[in-house]
Amino acid sequence: MIINMFKIQMKDFDLEKISKSGQCFRMNKAVGEDNRYTLIAYGNYLEIEHTEDSIFFSCTQEEWDELWVNYFDCGRDYEKICETVDKEDKYMKRAVEYGSGIRILRQEIFEIIISFIISQQNNIPRIKKCVESLCESFGEERYNFRGERYYAFPTAKRLAGVTLEELQNCNLGYRSRYILKTARMIVENEVNLAGLMDMSYEEAKVELMKLSGVGVKVAECICLFGLYHVEAFPIDTHIQAVLSENYPEGFPFDRYEGYAGILQQYAFYYDIYGKV
DNA sequence: GGACAGGGTTACG
DNA sequence: CGTAACCCTGTC
């Protein structure tokens, strides 16, 4: 059915959880297919099918090596990370078990910046709608291997050139102003995206907060999902509730130095979906 | 059907 | 430095 299926075996890889974990907004379950997902990233369209013992990707080995192996963070051992959780930490033990299969994707920086500006005071289904609307309106039109049309995420240059009225058609609410200003700042090189890659987490965070609509929380999300600083630990309303309920003495950041953000992702997922 | 909150940030006082 | 205002939808 799918042309150029590339097959791998990988543990800790659950598309359902990754797609619902609120880190990416363009990965979706294929309609009517339980184990198949579609994804648009870095301008490419990908289908993924999960069978009992293998995962199939609609790409060549070359494309896999060049892009997707890195995108799915295949070089990291998530099991090992989960094993470092304190046995006495019942909450985090449950969270990593419940969220087993979650990975942190290495996504495109500009897409992450805009997506997480949209995410403020917003919920995941609506964020997805907004992002998709933005892509349909301003993203480059392309065709997948099935001959179906899809849209790449808009470039900064394209967004910087639109009017506020045009943006508002995407139902972004008050975030339209932020997005337009941020896109323009990036095009004007007031914040240099390539430069961000070479900065430390703390430096990148400060730099990102120059952008309109980017405060502490959004900057930390961008660092975690767009720059792959897995030490970034964004605290939103969910995580805030988790911390005050389960870590009244404070979260053990020292124990998880350098990768606390990955545990944050498990906790976030568990808090949203794990409650009975 | 109106009120409210949803992965916050900005711009005031 | 605390707090209201900001858009827009889905949900109650």
Side-chain angles (χ1 to χ4, degrees):
Chain A
M1 184 74 177
I2 292 184
I3 314 152
N4 282 334
M5 277 299 226
F6 179 69
K7 174 183 170 179
I8 64 159
Q9 269 92 35
M10 180 164 41
K11 51 178 187 171
D12 298 310
F13 187 88
D14 189 319
L15 291 166
E16 165 97 17
K17 293 176 188 172
I18 294 171
S19 67
K20 284 164 62 186
S21 69
Q23 59 174 309
C24 59
F25 304 107
R26 303 196 77 193
M27 184 189 289
N28 293 299
K29 189 176 278 192
V31 278
E33 304 253 11
D34 249 15
N35 299 319
R36 184 174 300 197
Y37 286 77
T38 68
L39 156 68
I40 300 163
Y42 290 91
N44 295 287
Y45 175 92
L46 185 71
E47 287 192 15
I48 314 156
E49 191 162 347
H50 207 162
T51 65
E52 272 174 38
D53 56 346
S54 299
I55 308 162
F56 295 89
F57 296 84
S58 67
C59 64
T60 61
Q61 165 111 44
E62 202 174 20
E63 290 163 342
W64 173 260
D65 292 342
E66 204 168 294
L67 172 62
W68 301 113
V69 67
N70 186 49
Y71 182 84
F72 289 107
D73 195 28
C74 294
R76 186 177 289 271
D77 187 341
Y78 281 77
E79 191 175 8
K80 226 173 209 170
I81 288 167
C82 295
E83 281 168 5
T84 68
V85 172
D86 186 350
K87 291 202 172 21
E88 301 301 309
D89 187 343
K90 302 293 183 204
Y91 181 84
M92 196 54 77
K93 273 286 178 196
R94 284 200 304 275
V96 297
E97 188 182 350
Y98 186 81
S100 163
I102 289 176
R103 310 182 79 83
I104 306 278
L105 304 176
R106 295 185 181 231
Q107 301 181 75
E108 191 175 33
I109 181 70
F110 183 66
E111 175 170 344
I112 288 295
I113 290 172
I114 301 302
S115 298
F116 279 86
I117 289 174
I118 292 172
S119 80
Q120 62 187 256
Q121 285 295 105
N122 218 335
N123 52 57
I124 294 174
R126 207 172 84 83
I127 297 166
K128 287 180 140 184
K129 269 192 178 175
C130 291
V131 169
E132 219 45 48
S133 172
L134 206 55
C135 294
E136 282 175 24
S137 304
F138 309 113
E140 195 184 302
E141 187 179 305
R142 297 188 185 175
Y143 290 85
N144 66 21
F145 62 87
R146 295 179 186 281
E148 299 161 341
R149 182 172 53 196
Y150 71 95
Y151 296 90
F153 196 87
T155 62
K157 197 177 170 189
R158 177 75 176 100
L159 286 187
V162 307
T163 65
L164 191 57
E165 291 70 30
E166 285 179 286
L167 260 189
Q168 279 162 342
N169 289 333
C170 296
N171 294 330
L172 305 169
Y174 62 88
R175 306 169 195 86
S176 300
R177 291 180 285 112
Y178 298 157
I179 289 170
L180 188 56
K181 202 169 170 190
T182 284
R184 289 181 176 168
M185 286 177 77
I186 288 169
V187 169
E188 298 297 323
N189 223 22
E190 288 178 51
V191 169
N192 181 270
L193 296 191
L196 283 172
M197 313 284 182
D198 302 323
M199 292 182 188
S200 70
Y201 164 51
E202 292 297 341
E203 287 172 330
K205 184 168 144 185
V206 170
E207 187 67 9
L208 283 164
M209 285 174 65
K210 289 182 186 170
L211 294 170
S212 179
V214 178
V216 173
K217 190 270 176 183
V218 170
E220 288 174 349
C221 284
I222 298 168
C223 286
L224 181 55
F225 303 125
L227 294 171
Y228 207 68
H229 290 300
V230 292
E231 68 264 51
F233 193 93
I235 297 175
D236 55 49
T237 51
H238 293 280
I239 294 297
Q240 185 54 59
V242 168
L243 292 184
S244 44
E245 274 176 44
N246 302 284
Y247 300 94
E249 312 287 304
F251 188 77
F253 287 104
D254 291 347
R255 183 184 182 99
Y256 309 117
E257 197 177 351
Y259 61 95
I262 294 178
L263 297 173
Q264 178 271 0
Q265 198 63 17
Y266 287 109
F268 178 77
Y269 184 84
Y270 184 52
D271 188 65
I272 287 195
Y273 302 107
K275 290 174 179 173
V276 271

